[in-house]
Amino acid sequence: MLVWDDRTSVEPLRRDGLMATHDQETADYFRNTKVHCVLCPRNPDNGQSIIQGFRVSAMFTHHQKTVIMDGEVPGGVGSQKRRIVSFVGGIDLCAGRYDTQNHSLFGTLNTTHHNDFHQPNFPGSSLQKGGPREPWHDIHCRVEGPVAWDVLYNFEQRWRKQVGMDNLLFNLEELDQFISSPTPIVPLVEHDTWNVQLFRSIDGGAAFGFPEEPNEAAAAGLVSGKDNVIDRSIHDAYIAAIRRAKKFVYIENQYFLGSSFGWKSGDIKADDIGALHLIPKELTLKIISMINAGERFVAYVVIPMWPEGIPESASVQAILDWQRRTMEMMYFEIARALQTKGIPDAHPTDYLTFFCLGNREMKKIDEYTPMDALNPNSDYSRAQLARRFMIYVHSKMMIVDDEYIIVGSANINQRSMDGARDSEIAMGGYQPYHLEGGTPAKGQIFGFRLALWYEHVGFGNIHTSFSHPESLGCVRLLNAIADKNWNLYSSDTLGHDLPGHLLRYPIEVNHGGHITTLPEMEFFPDTKARVLGNRSEYLPPILTT
C-alpha cells in the first residue's frame, strides 16, 4: 500500500496534516501487521536542484487513486488461476466519500452518515452541531484485461522508485503460477467490447525506469525537460479527444482553470501564473471552429460551487479568481466568433455552459436533532436554517460525443496536467462496435451520461433532446432547468425539496462574453465568499493553479 506522505502531518503543525489526510494514523494502524503500508512523499526527479526538490516535495502530492487485486476468471469454472482487476478514478479511500444519488444534507445523519459526517467548509463543524453535511459526487471505474495490468505496472514503477524492497513484489514467473496472462476479457466481436488505454501525469522522481536520454524519452512518448523526464499523457489525451470531437463535450471536474496565456486581464502576467495547460483554450478553439463551419457544438461543464474549504479563505478565493479568468477568456472568444459569423439571437451560453450541483431539503419528522447550538451569526447557522448546501463535485471525467470517455484522478488545472507536479492516473476508452455505421453512439458511454443527467436534473425533467446534446433545444432546456433550480436554491423561502440538483453556476454572461455576478448575488448563499473570487497577493500561483 502506497499512501501519500503529507509533509505537514507532524506534531508541531497538526498530526492529521494541513490537508487532513491522516496519513500518520493510517501508517500506525497497519504497523506490525501483514499489510506493508508505506508513506510515500512526492519526491522530485533526480535532475532537479535542492531548491526545486524542496518545492516539489512541499507543494505537490501523489494524487493517484488506484486499487489492484485478483479476481475470478470469467467462465473459469474449476480453474485455480485468478486474473488482475484494477480500479481507477477520483474517489479517495477516506471518510466522507460514500454517498447515494439522493445526496442528502440532513436525512441520513441518523443512519448512513451518523458515523461519517463530513463538512470541512465551516470551522468547527461536527455531527453534534448538525447538518448540512457536504454531499459527495464522484466517479470511479473498474478495468479488466490488459489495461488492468498497466495499472499494476504503474504501481510497480512507483514502488521500485520510492520504496525499493523488491522482495515484496511478485516477479512474472511467480505471478504466472496463480494469475492468468493479460488477455482481452471479451472477444472483439462482442458489442460490449472496450478498447482502453492508460494515461498518467508523473515524472522520473515518482516512477522507476524512465529513460534519461532525450531521444529515448521521446520514443517512449515522454517529455524530456531541463531537469526531469515527464509523462503528461493525461493532458495529451484530453487534447486529442477534444480535437476529435464532432458534436459535444461533457465534463465533470473538481476544478476548471488554465490556458493563462489567453487570459484578458491586465493586472497579471501569464508567465507569473504558469497555468499553461491547453484544455480551456483547445475547447474554445473547437467551439469557434464549429461556429465558423456553421455546425452545432456544445461544451457542458459541471464544477463545484467553490473548491472545498472555507469559501472566503485566500486559497479558495484565489482559485475562484483563476476560474473566472478562464471562463471569461472562453466566453469572450466565443462571443467574438458569433459576432463575426453574424448568427442572429445566438448567445455564448448556447455553446458553452457551466453548472454546479446543490441540494435543499425540507425537515423530516425522524430527522437527527443536533445536541450543540450554533453561533447564530455563522455561515454554518445560516446554511442550517436555510437547509441548503452544495453537492461537492469531485469527479474527473470527460465524455466526447457519447463515443469516448476519460475517467481518472486528474483535475483540470496545472497541478494535475503538468506532469511534474501532482502525480495522476486516468483511463480513456471507447466501444468499437458503437463507432460503426455513422449513427450516434448508443453504447455504455451514452447510457452512463444519461444516468448522470437524470441524477442531476431529476427524473421529472427527462427529455428526448438529451439524446442530442449538441442541439440548441437541449442546451437551452438544461440551462432553463438549472436556472429554475438555482432560483429555488437561493430563495429565502422553502416550500418543498429541491426537484433536481443541477444549478446554473451563479454568474451572468452577456452577449459580449463579459462575466458578472447575478443580481444581488455577489456572495455565495449563506457565506461571505465572493462568487468571482479575489486574487491573493501573498499565495504563490503555483499553489493555487
Side-chain angles (χ1 to χ4, degrees):
M1 180 186 297
L2 290 176
V3 176
W4 172 53
D5 184 3
D6 181 356
R7 292 295 179 87
T8 67
S9 55
V10 292
E11 295 294 351
L13 294 172
R14 47 184 288 183
R15 182 165 169 75
D16 61 349
L18 294 178
M19 296 184 67
T21 58
H22 300 273
D23 55 320
Q24 294 291 341
E25 295 172 39
T26 302
D28 291 344
Y29 179 83
F30 287 111
R31 187 167 286 114
N32 299 320
T33 72
K34 293 183 178 181
V35 177
H36 299 278
C37 178
V38 178
L39 297 186
C40 186
R42 176 62 178 97
N43 287 340
D45 198 311
N46 294 336
Q48 296 188 341
S49 68
I50 294 175
I51 300 299
Q52 290 171 321
F54 176 78
R55 185 179 72 171
V56 169
S57 61
M59 293 184 176
F60 305 130
T61 74
H62 285 307
H63 203 242
Q64 296 181 349
K65 302 121 181 5
T66 66
V67 175
I68 308 111
M69 63 183 68
D70 64 275
E72 292 182 357
V73 176
V77 179
S79 173
Q80 298 299 311
K81 287 196 172 185
R82 310 278 285 177
R83 60 173 172 143
I84 297 296
V85 177
S86 298
F87 296 82
V88 175
I91 300 178
D92 301 297
L93 295 179
C94 61
R97 297 316 192 247
Y98 177 79
D99 213 342
T100 69
Q101 293 180 341
N102 294 325
H103 295 302
S104 178
L105 304 176
F106 300 91
T108 56
L109 296 185
N110 251 337
T111 54
T112 306
H113 294 103
H114 188 74
N115 294 314
D116 191 23
F117 181 83
H118 183 69
Q119 179 49 276
N121 302 275
F122 302 131
S125 64
S126 68
L127 177 69
Q128 289 70 31
K129 296 177 182 178
R133 59 176 285 269
E134 181 186 61
W136 200 267
H137 177 72
D138 219 327
I139 295 174
H140 220 76
C141 68
R142 166 177 167 151
V143 294
E144 305 170 352
V147 71
W149 285 74
D150 290 340
V151 184
L152 175 61
Y153 182 53
N154 167 76
F155 179 88
E156 180 189 0
Q157 281 190 312
R158 290 190 53 202
W159 183 277
R160 290 184 184 278
K161 181 67 178 185
Q162 293 204 258
V163 181
M165 292 193 293
D166 292 356
N167 60 302
L168 295 179
L169 301 178
F170 289 108
N171 61 43
L172 288 178
E173 290 183 0
E174 292 171 324
L175 275 178
D176 190 57
Q177 296 177 24
F178 57 92
I179 297 293
S180 296
S181 300
T183 55
I185 293 298
V186 182
L188 293 178
V189 296
E190 294 289 337
H191 294 180
D192 289 338
T193 298
W194 283 76
N195 283 0
V196 181
Q197 185 175 1
L198 200 68
F199 308 111
R200 295 188 297 181
S201 292
I202 202 166
D203 65 13
F208 175 83
F210 275 29
E212 296 182 2
E213 295 299 322
N215 59 334
E216 295 178 4
L222 304 175
V223 178
S224 182
K226 178 182 177 182
D227 302 308
N228 55 357
V229 178
I230 302 168
D231 179 347
R232 57 170 62 121
S233 51
I234 295 178
H235 178 262
D236 295 345
Y238 268 86
I239 299 306
I242 290 170
R243 290 178 178 177
R244 290 195 306 267
K246 300 181 290 293
K247 295 183 180 296
F248 80 95
V249 167
Y250 175 60
I251 291 172
E252 291 188 4
N253 207 283
Q254 183 184 3
Y255 297 97
F256 193 89
L257 62 93
S259 302
S260 58
F261 54 83
W263 294 353
K264 304 302 177 185
S265 308
D267 61 328
I268 58 171
K269 295 180 180 179
D271 291 344
D272 295 337
I273 306 306
L276 301 177
H277 76 85
L278 302 177
I279 293 172
K281 187 68 171 182
E282 287 282 349
L283 199 52
T284 306
L285 292 174
K286 167 59 68 172
I287 294 170
I288 291 173
S289 70
M290 301 303 276
I291 290 172
N292 292 337
E295 299 180 28
R296 285 292 308 160
F297 189 94
V298 184
Y300 301 88
V301 183
V302 179
I303 54 179
M305 205 173 291
W306 66 79
E308 188 179 55
I310 309 302
E312 60 267 27
S313 66
S315 59
V316 170
Q317 285 290 297
I319 294 169
L320 290 170
D321 179 61
W322 307 140
Q323 178 180 280
R324 186 264 305 170
R325 295 172 193 263
T326 303
M327 291 178 175
E328 194 158 58
M329 170 197 72
M330 299 176 74
Y331 277 127
F332 176 80
E333 295 186 10
I334 292 168
R336 187 168 58 181
L338 290 172
Q339 292 164 4
T340 302
K341 189 69 174 178
I343 302 177
D345 302 322
H347 192 277
T349 55
D350 292 337
Y351 297 83
L352 170 67
T353 185
F354 288 88
F355 304 105
C356 56
L357 302 179
N359 199 6
R360 198 171 185 187
E361 56 190 29
M362 298 286 289
K363 190 167 185 176
K364 307 300 189 294
I365 296 175
D366 57 349
E367 194 173 282
Y368 173 79
T369 302
M371 294 182 288
D372 298 341
L374 290 175
N375 178 347
N377 295 319
S378 66
D379 295 353
Y380 195 173
S381 177
R382 283 186 284 270
Q384 191 173 92
L385 289 172
R387 301 188 63 82
R388 63 188 167 202
F389 200 71
M390 70 169 172
I391 297 168
Y392 196 62
V393 178
H394 195 256
S395 320
K396 298 93 168 56
M397 181 214 70
M398 181 172 74
I399 289 174
V400 177
D401 296 333
D402 288 334
E403 296 178 353
Y404 187 79
I405 186 170
I406 295 175
V407 173
S409 66
N411 294 309
I412 298 182
N413 60 9
Q414 193 64 27
R415 293 181 68 104
S416 288
M417 295 297 166
D418 187 276
R421 298 188 180 184
D422 291 354
S423 62
E424 310 283 4
I425 194 166
M427 60 74 72
Y430 65 95
Q431 294 181 281
Y433 174 82
H434 295 282
L435 304 186
E436 301 173 356
T439 58
K442 292 291 191 291
Q444 292 173 353
I445 300 173
F446 167 75
F448 182 56
R449 176 183 62 81
L450 287 187
L452 289 169
W453 284 23
Y454 293 165
E455 174 187 343
H456 297 337
V457 304
F459 284 93
N461 287 310
I462 295 174
H463 197 272
T464 55
S465 67
F466 289 1
S467 295
H468 304 281
E470 77 282 2
S471 67
L472 187 61
C474 181
V475 65
R476 288 188 172 176
L477 174 62
L478 275 180
N479 283 339
I481 291 171
D483 285 349
K484 179 181 177 182
N485 286 342
W486 176 263
N487 291 335
L488 293 171
Y489 179 87
S490 60
S491 171
D492 291 334
T493 59
L494 175 64
H496 52 77
D497 290 351
L498 204 64
H501 298 147
L502 190 74
L503 312 177
R504 70 175 297 171
Y505 198 80
I507 56 173
E508 194 74 66
V509 183
N510 67 16
H511 277 81
H514 183 62
I515 290 177
T516 58
T517 58
L518 296 174
E520 301 181 4
M521 195 57 67
E522 181 182 359
F523 307 105
F524 291 110
D526 309 318
T527 78
K528 300 175 286 294
R530 288 172 50 85
V531 171
L532 300 182
N534 258 324
R535 184 185 172 196
S536 173
E537 296 297 332
Y538 65 89
L539 285 176
I542 196 172
L543 277 178
T544 53
T545 57

